[in-house]
Amino acid sequence: FFSIDVECIATGYGSCAKGINDGCGNVGGDEEGVPAGQYNGRSHRYPGRVAMVDSDGNVLLNIIVRPPQEGKGVVSYLTPLTGLTSEQCLGEDAKPLAEVVAIVKGLLSPDAVLVGQAIDHDVEWLGLVPGKDFGKMLDICKIFRQRMPSILGHAASVLKKKEEDGGA
């Protein structure tokens, strides 16, 4: 079991697959065996950090990703959410996405199980192919999903009543 997390920065130009052509997404989308729909242009994000741990919690990698074109087109590093800054992403330790993807693929095997919250997004960002780069994925957001009440007004009135009664 492995857990992978990709923290993204905002580009305004589409995902790593479309918009910013760094040789990963656009080229990767044309590789044989990559499922149709693996790449999309709906998200205006680009990976800024990739972290991976094994089933014992050992950190296998925690790498800052250098945005293409020396950050041209980055509109925000989303620092309050990601902790990333331009200094980190453009620093000497940051690596190009293609290099990070190669490292991740080198740590995985075709029978590896990936576990994470919305892990399909991380798989998409990295261009990983099920059955080739890993075996299965388990999305924990399906296990720990919070259900929203179908009638929010009713739920709010119940909570307000409990609060008025000294409960909640």
Side-chain angles (χ1 to χ4, degrees):
F1 291 92
F2 298 94
S3 182
I4 296 175
D5 187 44
V6 177
E7 294 289 334
C8 292
I9 58 178
T11 63
Y13 288 116
S15 72
C16 71
K18 294 183 179 176
I20 295 179
N21 184 355
D22 68 343
C24 174
N26 291 313
V27 173
D30 296 331
E31 289 182 12
E32 187 174 326
V34 175
Q38 177 83 22
Y39 296 94
N40 71 76
R42 296 182 307 273
S43 178
H44 298 284
R45 302 284 186 264
Y46 191 85
R49 177 194 321 262
V50 178
M52 183 173 169
V53 298
D54 65 16
S55 59
D56 293 322
N58 298 308
V59 177
L60 302 178
L61 63 93
N62 183 7
I63 302 175
I64 305 291
V65 179
R66 176 178 292 281
Q69 303 172 15
E70 293 305 308
K72 180 181 174 188
V74 174
V75 295
S76 174
Y77 289 90
L78 304 174
T79 305
L81 297 172
T82 65
L84 296 171
T85 64
S86 61
E87 292 80 15
Q88 289 173 307
C89 292
L90 299 173
E92 63 183 43
D93 292 333
K95 298 185 182 316
L97 182 58
E99 186 177 331
V100 176
V101 169
I103 294 169
V104 169
K105 287 181 177 184
L107 292 169
L108 295 174
S109 65
D111 63 344
V113 177
L114 302 181
V115 180
Q117 181 154 344
I119 190 74
D120 56 323
H121 295 293
D122 301 317
V123 165
E124 181 179 358
W125 286 118
L126 298 173
L128 301 177
V129 179
K132 178 181 174 188
D133 299 313
F134 68 95
K136 297 178 188 175
M137 56 183 158
L138 174 65
D139 190 345
I140 62 170
C141 77
K142 293 177 181 174
I143 297 170
F144 298 106
R145 173 172 278 152
Q146 294 288 332
R147 300 278 182 211
M148 292 294 292
S150 59
I151 306 171
L152 290 177
H154 176 69
S157 65
V158 169
L159 290 174
K160 185 168 179 65
K161 174 88 170 113
K162 283 186 176 186
E163 186 176 82
E164 290 169 355
D165 293 343

Coordinates of all heavy atoms in Angstrom, one line a residue, residues 75-149:
V75 N -0.6 32.0 -11.2 CA -1.3 33.2 -10.6 C -1.3 33.1 -9.1 O -1.5 34.2 -8.5 CB -2.8 33.3 -11.2 CG1 -2.7 33.6 -12.7 CG2 -3.6 32.0 -10.9
S76 N -1.1 31.9 -8.5 CA -1.1 31.8 -7.0 C -0.4 30.5 -6.7 O -0.7 29.5 -7.3 CB -2.5 31.9 -6.4 OG -2.4 31.7 -5.0
Y77 N 0.4 30.6 -5.6 CA 0.9 29.3 -5.1 C 0.0 28.7 -4.0 O 0.3 27.7 -3.4 CB 2.4 29.6 -4.6 CG 3.3 29.8 -5.7 CD1 3.6 31.1 -6.2 CD2 4.0 28.8 -6.3 CE1 4.4 31.3 -7.3 CE2 4.8 29.0 -7.4 CZ 5.0 30.3 -7.9 OH 5.8 30.4 -9.0
L78 N -1.1 29.4 -3.8 CA -2.1 28.9 -2.8 C -1.5 28.6 -1.5 O -1.8 27.6 -0.8 CB -2.9 27.7 -3.4 CG -3.5 27.9 -4.7 CD1 -4.1 26.6 -5.3 CD2 -4.6 28.9 -4.7
T79 N -0.6 29.5 -1.1 CA 0.2 29.3 0.1 C -0.6 29.0 1.4 O -0.2 28.0 2.1 CB 1.1 30.5 0.4 OG1 1.9 30.8 -0.8 CG2 2.0 30.3 1.6
P80 N -1.7 29.6 1.7 CA -2.5 29.3 2.9 C -3.0 27.8 2.9 O -3.1 27.2 3.9 CB -3.7 30.2 2.9 CG -3.2 31.4 2.0 CD -2.3 30.8 1.0
L81 N -3.2 27.2 1.7 CA -3.7 25.9 1.6 C -2.5 24.9 1.4 O -2.6 23.8 1.9 CB -4.6 25.7 0.4 CG -5.9 26.5 0.4 CD1 -6.6 26.4 -0.9 CD2 -6.8 26.0 1.5
T82 N -1.5 25.3 0.7 CA -0.4 24.3 0.3 C 0.9 24.5 1.1 O 1.7 23.6 1.2 CB 0.0 24.4 -1.2 OG1 0.5 25.7 -1.4 CG2 -1.2 24.2 -2.1
G83 N 1.1 25.7 1.7 CA 2.3 26.0 2.3 C 3.4 26.3 1.3 O 4.6 26.6 1.7
L84 N 3.1 26.2 0.0 CA 4.1 26.5 -1.0 C 4.3 27.9 -1.3 O 3.3 28.7 -1.2 CB 3.7 25.7 -2.3 CG 3.6 24.2 -2.2 CD1 3.0 23.6 -3.5 CD2 5.0 23.6 -2.0
T85 N 5.5 28.3 -1.6 CA 5.8 29.7 -2.0 C 6.6 29.7 -3.3 O 7.1 28.6 -3.8 CB 6.7 30.4 -0.9 OG1 8.0 29.7 -0.9 CG2 6.1 30.3 0.4
S86 N 6.6 30.9 -3.9 CA 7.4 31.0 -5.2 C 8.9 30.6 -5.0 O 9.5 30.0 -5.8 CB 7.2 32.4 -5.8 OG 7.7 33.3 -5.0
E87 N 9.4 31.0 -3.8 CA 10.8 30.7 -3.5 C 11.0 29.2 -3.5 O 12.1 28.7 -4.0 CB 11.2 31.3 -2.2 CG 11.3 32.8 -2.2 CD 9.9 33.5 -2.0 OE1 8.9 32.8 -1.6 OE2 9.8 34.7 -2.3
Q88 N 10.1 28.4 -2.9 CA 10.3 27.0 -2.9 C 10.1 26.4 -4.3 O 10.9 25.6 -4.7 CB 9.2 26.4 -2.0 CG 9.4 26.6 -0.5 CD 8.2 26.1 0.3 OE1 7.1 26.4 0.0 NE2 8.5 25.3 1.3
C89 N 9.0 26.8 -5.0 CA 8.7 26.2 -6.3 C 9.7 26.5 -7.4 O 9.9 25.8 -8.3 CB 7.3 26.6 -6.7 SG 6.0 25.8 -5.7
L90 N 10.4 27.7 -7.2 CA 11.4 28.1 -8.2 C 12.8 27.9 -7.6 O 13.8 28.3 -8.3 CB 11.2 29.5 -8.6 CG 9.8 29.8 -9.2 CD1 9.6 31.3 -9.5 CD2 9.7 29.0 -10.5
G91 N 12.9 27.3 -6.4 CA 14.3 27.1 -5.8 C 15.0 26.0 -6.4 O 14.5 25.2 -7.2
E92 N 16.3 25.9 -6.0 CA 17.2 24.9 -6.6 C 16.8 23.4 -6.3 O 17.2 22.5 -7.0 CB 18.7 25.2 -6.2 CG 18.9 25.0 -4.7 CD 20.3 25.4 -4.3 OE1 20.8 26.4 -4.8 OE2 20.9 24.6 -3.5
D93 N 16.0 23.2 -5.2 CA 15.7 21.8 -4.9 C 14.4 21.4 -5.7 O 14.1 20.2 -5.7 CB 15.4 21.7 -3.4 CG 16.7 21.8 -2.6 OD1 17.8 21.5 -3.2 OD2 16.6 22.2 -1.4
A94 N 13.7 22.3 -6.3 CA 12.5 21.9 -7.0 C 12.8 21.1 -8.3 O 13.9 21.4 -8.9 CB 11.7 23.2 -7.4
K95 N 12.0 20.2 -8.6 CA 12.3 19.3 -9.8 C 11.1 19.4 -10.8 O 10.0 19.6 -10.5 CB 12.4 17.8 -9.3 CG 13.5 17.6 -8.4 CD 13.6 16.1 -8.0 CE 14.7 15.8 -7.0 NZ 16.0 16.4 -7.2
P96 N 11.5 19.2 -12.1 CA 10.4 19.3 -13.1 C 9.4 18.1 -12.9 O 9.8 17.0 -12.4 CB 11.2 19.1 -14.4 CG 12.6 19.3 -14.1 CD 12.8 19.0 -12.6
L97 N 8.2 18.3 -13.3 CA 7.2 17.4 -13.1 C 7.5 16.0 -13.7 O 7.3 15.0 -13.1 CB 5.8 17.9 -13.6 CG 4.6 16.9 -13.4 CD1 4.4 16.6 -12.0 CD2 3.4 17.5 -14.1
A98 N 8.1 16.0 -14.9 CA 8.4 14.7 -15.6 C 9.4 13.9 -14.7 O 9.3 12.7 -14.6 CB 9.0 15.0 -17.0
E99 N 10.3 14.6 -14.1 CA 11.3 13.9 -13.2 C 10.6 13.3 -12.0 O 10.9 12.2 -11.6 CB 12.4 14.9 -12.8 CG 13.5 14.2 -12.1 CD 14.6 15.2 -11.7 OE1 14.9 16.2 -12.5 OE2 15.3 15.0 -10.7
V100 N 9.7 14.1 -11.4 CA 8.9 13.6 -10.2 C 8.1 12.4 -10.6 O 8.0 11.4 -9.8 CB 8.1 14.8 -9.6 CG1 7.3 14.3 -8.5 CG2 9.0 15.9 -9.2
V101 N 7.4 12.5 -11.7 CA 6.6 11.4 -12.2 C 7.4 10.1 -12.4 O 7.0 9.0 -11.9 CB 5.8 11.7 -13.5 CG1 5.2 10.5 -14.1 CG2 4.8 12.8 -13.2
A102 N 8.6 10.3 -12.9 CA 9.5 9.1 -13.1 C 9.9 8.5 -11.8 O 10.0 7.3 -11.6 CB 10.7 9.5 -13.9
I103 N 10.2 9.4 -10.8 CA 10.5 8.9 -9.5 C 9.4 8.1 -8.8 O 9.5 7.0 -8.3 CB 11.0 10.0 -8.5 CG1 12.3 10.7 -9.1 CG2 11.1 9.6 -7.1 CD1 12.6 12.0 -8.4
V104 N 8.2 8.7 -8.9 CA 7.0 8.0 -8.4 C 6.8 6.6 -9.1 O 6.6 5.6 -8.4 CB 5.7 8.9 -8.6 CG1 4.4 8.1 -8.3 CG2 5.8 10.1 -7.7
K105 N 6.8 6.6 -10.4 CA 6.7 5.4 -11.1 C 7.7 4.3 -10.7 O 7.4 3.1 -10.7 CB 6.7 5.6 -12.6 CG 5.4 6.3 -13.1 CD 5.5 6.5 -14.6 CE 4.2 7.1 -15.2 NZ 4.2 7.3 -16.6
G106 N 8.9 4.8 -10.5 CA 10.0 3.9 -10.0 C 9.8 3.3 -8.7 O 10.3 2.2 -8.4
L107 N 9.0 3.9 -7.8 CA 8.7 3.4 -6.5 C 7.5 2.5 -6.5 O 7.3 1.7 -5.6 CB 8.4 4.5 -5.5 CG 9.7 5.4 -5.2 CD1 9.2 6.7 -4.4 CD2 10.7 4.6 -4.4
L108 N 6.7 2.5 -7.6 CA 5.5 1.7 -7.6 C 5.7 0.4 -8.4 O 6.8 0.3 -9.0 CB 4.4 2.5 -8.3 CG 3.8 3.7 -7.6 CD1 2.9 4.5 -8.5 CD2 3.2 3.3 -6.3
S109 N 4.8 -0.5 -8.4 CA 4.8 -1.7 -9.2 C 3.4 -1.9 -9.7 O 2.4 -1.3 -9.2 CB 5.2 -2.9 -8.3 OG 4.3 -3.1 -7.3
P110 N 3.3 -2.7 -10.7 CA 2.0 -2.9 -11.4 C 0.9 -3.5 -10.4 O -0.3 -3.5 -10.7 CB 2.3 -3.9 -12.5 CG 3.7 -3.7 -12.8 CD 4.4 -3.4 -11.5
D111 N 1.3 -4.1 -9.3 CA 0.4 -4.6 -8.3 C 0.2 -3.7 -7.1 O -0.5 -4.1 -6.1 CB 0.8 -6.0 -7.9 CG 2.1 -6.1 -7.1 OD1 2.9 -5.1 -7.2 OD2 2.4 -7.1 -6.5
A112 N 0.8 -2.5 -7.1 CA 0.7 -1.6 -6.0 C -0.8 -1.1 -5.8 O -1.5 -1.0 -6.7 CB 1.6 -0.4 -6.2
V113 N -1.1 -0.9 -4.5 CA -2.4 -0.4 -4.2 C -2.2 1.1 -3.7 O -1.4 1.3 -2.7 CB -3.1 -1.2 -3.1 CG1 -4.5 -0.6 -2.7 CG2 -3.4 -2.6 -3.6
L114 N -2.9 2.0 -4.3 CA -2.8 3.4 -3.9 C -4.0 3.8 -3.0 O -5.1 3.5 -3.4 CB -2.8 4.3 -5.1 CG -1.6 4.1 -6.1 CD1 -1.7 5.1 -7.2 CD2 -0.3 4.2 -5.4
V115 N -3.7 4.4 -1.9 CA -4.8 4.8 -1.0 C -4.7 6.3 -0.7 O -3.6 6.8 -0.5 CB -4.6 4.0 0.4 CG1 -5.7 4.4 1.4 CG2 -4.6 2.5 0.2
G116 N -5.9 6.9 -0.8 CA -5.8 8.4 -0.5 C -7.2 9.0 -0.6 O -8.1 8.3 -1.1
Q117 N -7.3 10.2 -0.3 CA -8.6 10.9 -0.4 C -8.6 11.5 -1.8 O -7.7 12.3 -2.2 CB -8.7 12.1 0.6 CG -10.0 12.8 0.5 CD -10.5 13.4 1.8 OE1 -10.0 13.1 2.8 NE2 -11.4 14.3 1.7
A118 N -9.7 11.2 -2.6 CA -9.8 11.6 -4.0 C -8.5 11.2 -4.7 O -8.0 12.0 -5.5 CB -10.1 13.1 -4.1
I119 N -8.1 10.0 -4.5 CA -6.8 9.5 -5.1 C -6.8 9.6 -6.6 O -5.8 9.7 -7.3 CB -6.4 8.1 -4.6 CG1 -5.0 7.7 -4.9 CG2 -7.4 7.1 -5.0 CD1 -3.9 8.4 -4.2
D120 N -8.0 9.5 -7.2 CA -8.1 9.5 -8.7 C -7.6 10.9 -9.2 O -7.0 10.9 -10.3 CB -9.5 9.3 -9.1 CG -10.6 10.2 -8.5 OD1 -10.4 10.6 -7.3 OD2 -11.5 10.6 -9.2
H121 N -7.7 11.9 -8.4 CA -7.1 13.2 -8.9 C -5.6 13.2 -8.9 O -5.0 13.7 -9.8 CB -7.6 14.4 -8.0 CG -9.1 14.6 -8.0 ND1 -9.7 15.1 -9.1 CD2 -10.0 14.4 -7.1 CE1 -11.0 15.2 -8.9 NE2 -11.2 14.8 -7.7
D122 N -5.0 12.6 -7.9 CA -3.6 12.5 -7.8 C -3.1 11.6 -8.9 O -2.0 11.9 -9.6 CB -3.1 11.9 -6.4 CG -3.6 12.8 -5.3 OD1 -3.5 14.0 -5.4 OD2 -4.1 12.3 -4.3
V123 N -3.8 10.5 -9.2 CA -3.4 9.6 -10.3 C -3.5 10.4 -11.6 O -2.6 10.3 -12.5 CB -4.3 8.4 -10.3 CG1 -4.2 7.6 -11.6 CG2 -4.0 7.5 -9.1
E124 N -4.5 11.2 -11.8 CA -4.6 12.0 -13.0 C -3.5 13.0 -13.1 O -2.9 13.1 -14.2 CB -6.0 12.7 -13.0 CG -6.2 13.5 -14.3 CD -7.6 14.2 -14.3 OE1 -8.4 14.0 -13.4 OE2 -7.8 15.0 -15.3
W125 N -3.2 13.7 -12.0 CA -2.2 14.7 -12.1 C -0.8 14.1 -12.5 O -0.1 14.8 -13.2 CB -2.0 15.4 -10.7 CG -3.0 16.4 -10.4 CD1 -3.9 16.3 -9.3 CD2 -3.4 17.6 -11.0 NE1 -4.7 17.3 -9.2 CE2 -4.5 18.2 -10.3 CE3 -2.9 18.2 -12.2 CZ2 -5.1 19.4 -10.7 CZ3 -3.5 19.4 -12.5 CH2 -4.6 20.0 -11.8
L126 N -0.6 12.9 -12.0 CA 0.7 12.3 -12.3 C 0.7 11.5 -13.6 O 1.7 10.9 -14.0 CB 1.1 11.4 -11.1 CG 1.3 12.2 -9.8 CD1 1.6 11.3 -8.7 CD2 2.5 13.3 -10.0
G127 N -0.5 11.3 -14.2 CA -0.5 10.5 -15.4 C -0.3 9.1 -15.2 O 0.2 8.4 -16.1
L128 N -0.6 8.6 -14.0 CA -0.4 7.1 -13.7 C -1.5 6.3 -14.4 O -2.6 6.7 -14.5 CB -0.4 6.9 -12.2 CG 0.6 7.7 -11.4 CD1 0.5 7.4 -9.9 CD2 2.1 7.3 -11.9
V129 N -1.1 5.1 -14.9 CA -2.0 4.3 -15.6 C -2.3 3.0 -14.8 O -1.4 2.3 -14.5 CB -1.5 3.9 -17.0 CG1 -2.4 3.0 -17.7 CG2 -1.2 5.2 -17.8
P130 N -3.6 2.8 -14.5 CA -4.0 1.6 -13.7 C -3.6 0.3 -14.6 O -3.7 0.3 -15.8 CB -5.5 1.6 -13.6 CG -5.9 3.1 -13.8 CD -4.8 3.6 -14.7
G131 N -3.0 -0.7 -13.9 CA -2.6 -1.9 -14.5 C -1.2 -1.8 -15.1 O -0.6 -2.8 -15.5
K132 N -0.7 -0.6 -15.2 CA 0.7 -0.4 -15.8 C 1.6 0.1 -14.7 O 2.6 -0.5 -14.3 CB 0.6 0.5 -17.0 CG 2.0 0.8 -17.5 CD 1.9 1.8 -18.7 CE 3.2 2.2 -19.2 NZ 3.1 3.3 -20.2
D133 N 1.2 1.2 -14.1 CA 2.0 1.9 -13.0 C 1.6 1.4 -11.6 O 2.4 1.5 -10.7 CB 1.8 3.4 -13.1 CG 2.3 3.9 -14.4 OD1 3.4 3.5 -14.9 OD2 1.6 4.8 -15.0
F134 N 0.3 0.9 -11.5 CA -0.2 0.5 -10.2 C -1.3 -0.5 -10.5 O -1.9 -0.5 -11.6 CB -0.6 1.6 -9.3 CG -1.8 2.4 -9.8 CD1 -3.0 2.1 -9.3 CD2 -1.7 3.4 -10.7 CE1 -4.2 2.7 -9.7 CE2 -2.8 4.1 -11.2 CZ -4.0 3.8 -10.7
G135 N -1.7 -1.2 -9.4 CA -2.8 -2.2 -9.6 C -4.2 -1.6 -9.3 O -5.1 -1.6 -10.2
K136 N -4.4 -1.1 -8.1 CA -5.7 -0.7 -7.7 C -5.6 0.6 -6.9 O -4.5 1.0 -6.4 CB -6.4 -1.7 -6.7 CG -6.7 -3.0 -7.3 CD -7.3 -3.9 -6.3 CE -7.4 -5.3 -6.8 NZ -7.9 -6.3 -5.8
M137 N -6.7 1.3 -6.7 CA -6.7 2.5 -5.9 C -7.9 2.4 -5.0 O -9.0 1.9 -5.3 CB -6.6 3.8 -6.6 CG -7.7 4.0 -7.7 SD -7.3 5.6 -8.5 CE -8.2 5.3 -10.0
L138 N -7.7 2.9 -3.7 CA -8.8 2.9 -2.7 C -9.0 4.4 -2.3 O -8.1 5.0 -1.8 CB -8.4 2.0 -1.5 CG -9.4 2.1 -0.4 CD1 -10.8 1.5 -0.8 CD2 -8.8 1.3 0.8
D139 N -10.2 4.9 -2.6 CA -10.5 6.3 -2.3 C -11.1 6.3 -0.9 O -12.3 5.9 -0.7 CB -11.4 6.9 -3.4 CG -11.5 8.4 -3.2 OD1 -11.2 8.9 -2.2 OD2 -12.0 9.0 -4.2
I140 N -10.4 6.9 0.1 CA -10.9 6.9 1.4 C -12.1 7.9 1.6 O -12.8 7.8 2.6 CB -9.8 7.1 2.5 CG1 -9.2 8.5 2.3 CG2 -8.9 6.0 2.5 CD1 -8.2 8.9 3.5
C141 N -12.2 8.8 0.7 CA -13.3 9.8 0.8 C -14.7 9.1 0.7 O -15.7 9.5 1.2 CB -13.2 11.0 -0.1 SG -13.7 10.7 -1.8
K142 N -14.7 7.9 0.1 CA -15.9 7.1 0.0 C -16.2 6.4 1.3 O -17.3 6.1 1.6 CB -15.8 6.1 -1.2 CG -15.7 6.7 -2.5 CD -15.5 5.8 -3.6 CE -15.5 6.5 -5.0 NZ -15.1 5.7 -6.1
I143 N -15.1 6.2 2.1 CA -15.3 5.5 3.4 C -15.7 6.6 4.4 O -16.6 6.3 5.3 CB -14.0 4.9 3.8 CG1 -13.6 3.7 2.9 CG2 -14.1 4.3 5.3 CD1 -12.3 3.2 3.1
F144 N -15.1 7.7 4.4 CA -15.3 8.8 5.4 C -16.2 9.9 4.9 O -16.1 11.0 5.4 CB -14.0 9.3 5.9 CG -13.1 8.3 6.5 CD1 -12.0 7.8 5.9 CD2 -13.4 7.8 7.8 CE1 -11.2 6.8 6.4 CE2 -12.6 6.9 8.4 CZ -11.5 6.4 7.7
R145 N -17.0 9.7 3.9 CA -17.9 10.7 3.4 C -18.8 11.3 4.4 O -19.5 10.5 5.2 CB -18.6 10.1 2.2 CG -19.7 11.1 1.6 CD -20.3 10.5 0.4 NE -19.3 10.9 -0.7 CZ -19.2 10.2 -1.8 NH1 -19.9 9.1 -2.0 NH2 -18.3 10.6 -2.7
Q146 N -18.9 12.6 4.4 CA -19.9 13.3 5.3 C -21.2 13.4 4.5 O -21.2 14.0 3.4 CB -19.4 14.6 5.7 CG -18.2 14.6 6.6 CD -18.6 14.1 8.0 OE1 -19.7 14.2 8.5 NE2 -17.6 13.4 8.7
R147 N -22.3 13.0 5.0 CA -23.6 13.1 4.3 C -24.2 14.5 4.6 O -24.2 14.9 5.7 CB -24.5 12.0 4.7 CG -24.0 10.6 4.4 CD -24.3 10.3 3.0 NE -23.8 8.9 2.7 CZ -23.3 8.5 1.6 NH1 -23.3 9.3 0.6 NH2 -22.9 7.3 1.4
M148 N -24.6 15.1 3.6 CA -25.3 16.4 3.7 C -26.8 16.1 3.9 O -27.3 15.3 3.1 CB -25.1 17.3 2.5 CG -23.7 17.8 2.4 SD -23.2 18.9 3.7 CE -24.2 20.3 3.4
P149 N -27.5 16.7 4.8 CA -28.9 16.5 4.9 C -29.6 17.0 3.6 O -29.2 17.9 3.0 CB -29.4 17.4 6.1 CG -28.1 17.8 6.8 CD -27.0 17.6 5.8

